[in-house]
């Protein structure tokens, strides 16, 4: 038997699993509101309920996103190269990228970083043996700053000693270069350091020290656990072909994907090569806390959609104001349900657009070709909706709010073309992600049987 508990920003949920015929079977599942003043209260409530049906010395595994994720500021040189590699390291570690800067920092940038109160500044730049001046300049400005957070250097390895000397009075950590050469992004070591920093930071949260005493280990960041679970599902070939998770919560929308590199004679790639597994998180797209910021991200488009469906934009704005403060609010009538559905479709469509890439046709002396940037999602065959709203939604959100075909600049958006949509109806993904640390093969085999397919 195994108990898995996930502490979210709104809900704390848990499950008691047993291993049966190569799968993890849910014997009991419990949910309660997260007790933000002391996270251990909600945790203990769930643990107590689950232990009523457990027996023996049942191990307990825990993850948490209640801390909100480490706030990370990324600094690189070229936006499509070192800065993008820094983004990949930060997001795959479960962090929240709050600021990003390229090329040379200036005094205004430093003030902006200081005001954002990051948990980590990820300083990158240069391939190994490459650029020196930008990195040393940026390190000098960071050294003179009032920042009291951890600074993680993961740039040109030739400058490690110089960066150490410059930042000697700061909380400096060193990791391998996230982009040692242009063809081989290498975010793993930086990712591991960020995760370790998260683990040491998160246990300072209210009540988490007592959770550590109960379980014997610190909660892992939920996004990092889910990222590892996606990697496991891909390795175990749990789904046929490329697949993705869309985890939409009240504050953010996370998009995870396992995507093959698509090459072709007529495709010219721009930027770094995309990794097989990727996570992106949209802090302005959410169903409750971020409802108003979702509107402001593209107000004209969203209000036009409201009007096209025969709804009143003023009433929609009143509803968004209400749910952004009453974060546990459940719609009570048909109009409010339509507002929620529209907001959910907008968030999922925009999260998909931002996670994916674009391409445009150009003409060369050898004929036509496509310049492609970012991630090609067209071959995704399986999409899984999870998080509170999508787990409960018995519908495909893209059916009512499809991803646009092109950008406003006329570039094709590389979104999924033909796919099967499932919902994580028991909201098990974060709980199975935890369980995978002890029972990887069983956890990989257990997701698909617990999904509900949405059919036409």
């Amino acid at each position: 038997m195994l108990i898995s508990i996930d502490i979210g920003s709104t809900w704390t949920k848990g499950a008691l699993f047993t291993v049966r015929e190569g799968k993890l079977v849910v014997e009991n599942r419990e949910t309660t509101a997260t007790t933000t003043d002391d996270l251990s209260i909600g945790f203990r409530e769930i643990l107590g309920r689950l232990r009523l049906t457990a027996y023996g010395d049942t191990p307990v595994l825990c993850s948490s996103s209640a801390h909100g994720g480490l706030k990370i500021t990324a600094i690189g040189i070229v936006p499509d190269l070192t800065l993008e590699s820094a983004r990949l390291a930060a997001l795959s570690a479960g962090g929240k990228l709050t600021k990003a800067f390229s090329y040379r920092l200036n005094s205004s940038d430093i003030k902006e970083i200081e005001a954002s109160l990051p948990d980590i500044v990820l300083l990158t730049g240069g391939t190994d043996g490459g650029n020196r001046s930008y990195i040393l300049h940026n390190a000098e400005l960071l050294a003179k700053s009032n920042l009291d957070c951890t600074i993680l250097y993961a740039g040109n390895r030739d400058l490690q000693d110089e960066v150490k000397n410059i930042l000697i009075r700061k909380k400096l950590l060193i990791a391998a270069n996230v982009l040692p050469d242009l063809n081989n992004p290498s975010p793993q070591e930086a990712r591991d350091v960020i995760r370790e920093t998260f683990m040491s930071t998160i246990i300072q949260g209210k009540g988490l020290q007592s959770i550590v005493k109960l379980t014997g280990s610190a909660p892992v960041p939920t996004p990092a656990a889910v990222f590892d679970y996606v990697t496991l599902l891909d390795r175990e070939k749990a789904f046929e072909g490329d697949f993705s998770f869309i985890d939409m919560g009240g504050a953010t929308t996370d998009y995870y994907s396992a995507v093959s590199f698509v090459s072709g004679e007529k495709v010219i790639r721009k930027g770094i090569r995309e990794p097989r597994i990727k996570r992106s998180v949209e802090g302005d797209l959410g169903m409750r806390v971020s409802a108003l910021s979702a509107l402001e991200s593209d107000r004209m488009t969203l209000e036009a959609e409201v009007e096209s469906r025969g709804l009143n934009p003023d009433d929609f704005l009143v509803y968004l104001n209400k749910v952004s403060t009453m974060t546990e609010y459940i719609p009570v009538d048909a109009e409010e349900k339509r507002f929620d559905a529209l907001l959910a479709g907008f968030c999922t469509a925009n999260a998909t657009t931002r996670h994916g890439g674009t391409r445009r046709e150009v003409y060369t002396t050898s004929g036509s070709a496509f310049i492609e940037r970012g991630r090609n999602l067209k071959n995704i065959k399986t999409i899984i909706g999870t998080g509170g709203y999508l787990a409960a939604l018995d519908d495909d959100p893209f059916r009512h709010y499809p991803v646009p075909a092109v950008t406003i600049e006329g570039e094709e958006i590389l979104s999924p073309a033909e796919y099967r949509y499932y919902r994580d109806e028991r909201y098990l993904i974060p709980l199975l992600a935890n369980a995978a640390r002890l029972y990887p093969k069983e956890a990989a085999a257990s997701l698909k049987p617990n999904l509900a397919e949405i059919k036409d």
Side-chain angles (χ1 to χ4, degrees):
M1 293 187 120
L2 163 73
I3 290 174
S4 174
I5 299 176
D6 178 66
I7 306 170
S9 57
T10 305
W11 300 103
T12 296
K13 49 212 166 283
L16 173 67
F17 293 104
T18 56
V19 181
R20 198 182 305 159
E21 297 179 352
K23 293 184 176 68
L24 293 172
V25 178
V26 180
E27 300 293 347
N28 187 13
R29 191 189 181 288
E30 298 286 348
T31 302
T32 190
T34 294
T35 49
T36 52
D37 290 338
D38 184 342
L39 299 176
S40 69
I41 295 174
F43 175 87
R44 287 173 185 272
E45 181 181 340
I46 294 295
L47 182 60
R49 292 185 206 168
L50 295 174
R51 278 184 168 163
L52 290 174
T53 50
Y55 57 83
D57 188 16
T58 307
V60 180
L61 295 174
C62 180
S63 58
S64 176
S65 57
H67 179 72
L70 283 186
K71 295 187 294 182
I72 300 174
T73 292
I75 301 168
I77 299 180
V78 180
D80 287 345
L81 297 174
T82 50
L83 183 55
E84 181 60 23
S85 298
R87 289 176 189 270
L88 292 175
L91 294 172
S92 62
K96 180 169 63 177
L97 196 65
T98 54
K99 297 287 179 182
F101 298 88
S102 54
Y103 304 111
R104 288 178 182 266
L105 295 174
N106 58 40
S107 58
S108 296
D109 296 332
I110 293 295
K111 289 178 182 177
E112 188 176 341
I113 296 170
E114 291 172 342
S116 69
L117 300 175
D119 296 302
I120 296 178
V121 171
L122 177 54
L123 175 61
T124 68
T127 55
D128 288 346
N131 184 277
R132 296 174 55 87
S133 62
Y134 285 97
I135 302 162
L136 296 178
H137 168 83
N138 292 340
E140 291 280 4
L141 286 190
L142 291 173
K144 296 172 184 176
S145 73
N146 295 319
L147 289 165
D148 190 38
C149 64
T150 296
I151 298 175
L152 171 58
Y153 176 65
N156 182 351
R157 70 180 301 275
D158 292 3
L159 299 181
Q160 286 181 358
D161 290 340
E162 290 176 70
V163 170
K164 282 182 187 177
N165 289 332
I166 293 170
L167 295 171
I168 195 168
R169 290 184 172 83
K170 297 293 184 182
K171 300 173 187 174
L172 179 67
L173 298 174
I174 302 286
N177 194 349
V178 294
L179 190 66
D181 65 73
L182 293 178
N183 296 316
N184 293 292
S186 183
Q188 183 61 51
E189 190 171 321
R191 177 191 308 156
D192 291 344
V193 173
I194 293 169
R195 288 189 183 189
E196 289 168 9
T197 304
F198 182 98
M199 302 279 274
S200 62
T201 301
I202 194 174
I203 61 172
Q204 307 306 318
K206 294 179 180 179
L208 285 175
Q209 287 283 6
S210 61
I211 293 175
V212 174
K213 291 177 182 177
L214 283 169
T215 63
S217 60
V220 302
T222 304
V226 174
F227 183 91
D228 289 344
Y229 189 45
V230 172
T231 304
L232 171 67
L233 291 168
D234 183 52
R235 186 170 67 245
E236 295 294 324
K237 301 188 185 306
F239 300 98
E240 183 179 343
D242 296 351
F243 66 93
S244 66
F245 290 178
I246 305 175
D247 182 359
M248 186 174 64
T252 66
T253 300
D254 287 22
Y255 198 115
Y256 302 82
S257 65
V259 171
S260 302
F261 177 70
V262 179
S263 61
E265 291 182 6
K266 293 187 176 182
V267 175
I268 304 167
R269 287 281 310 152
K270 293 292 185 180
I272 64 170
R273 179 168 177 162
E274 287 284 322
R276 169 73 181 162
I277 313 295
K278 183 177 180 178
R279 169 191 177 235
S280 58
V281 56
E282 308 305 335
D284 60 342
L285 301 176
M287 291 296 294
R288 291 296 179 260
V289 175
S290 299
L292 285 173
S293 61
L295 173 66
E296 293 307 323
S297 70
D298 192 354
R299 189 177 191 122
M300 184 179 297
T301 298
L302 188 49
E303 288 186 342
E305 287 289 340
V306 171
E307 289 186 327
S308 72
R309 294 159 201 246
L311 297 168
N312 186 308
D314 292 334
D315 292 342
F316 183 58
L317 179 58
V318 169
Y319 181 72
L320 296 188
N321 273 291
K322 179 163 62 176
V323 299
S324 66
T325 54
M326 301 168 60
T327 57
E328 294 178 23
Y329 185 81
I330 304 295
V332 296
D333 57 36
E335 183 181 60
E336 289 188 341
K337 289 176 181 178
R338 291 181 70 191
F339 285 154
D340 254 10
L342 180 58
L343 179 61
F346 177 82
C347 290
T348 52
N350 278 273
T352 302
T353 300
R354 297 179 194 179
H355 185 81
T358 61
R359 70 182 177 191
R360 61 184 174 88
E361 190 172 13
V362 295
Y363 295 92
T364 71
T365 54
S366 303
S368 65
F370 291 97
I371 293 179
E372 193 169 289
R373 295 178 183 273
R375 196 163 183 79
N376 191 333
L377 307 179
K378 293 185 78 66
N379 289 333
I380 283 179
K381 301 302 181 188
T382 302
I383 300 176
I384 300 163
T386 186
Y389 186 86
L390 293 182
L393 180 67
D394 191 20
D395 203 353
D396 175 357
F398 296 105
R399 186 177 297 160
H400 305 289
Y401 203 117
V403 177
V406 296
T407 66
I408 57 174
E409 293 82 12
E411 295 188 339
E412 179 187 1
I413 296 173
L414 302 174
S415 61
E418 297 181 6
Y419 61 89
R420 301 173 78 171
Y421 184 86
Y422 298 82
R423 66 184 178 100
D424 177 20
E425 61 177 342
R426 302 178 75 183
Y427 200 176
L428 290 179
I429 283 176
L431 302 176
L432 286 169
N434 280 337
R437 284 181 269 157
L438 287 184
Y439 296 100
K441 287 188 176 296
E442 293 83 355
S446 302
L447 178 58
K448 196 168 183 180
N450 283 290
L451 299 175
E453 184 175 2
I454 305 299
K455 297 183 178 180
D456 294 335

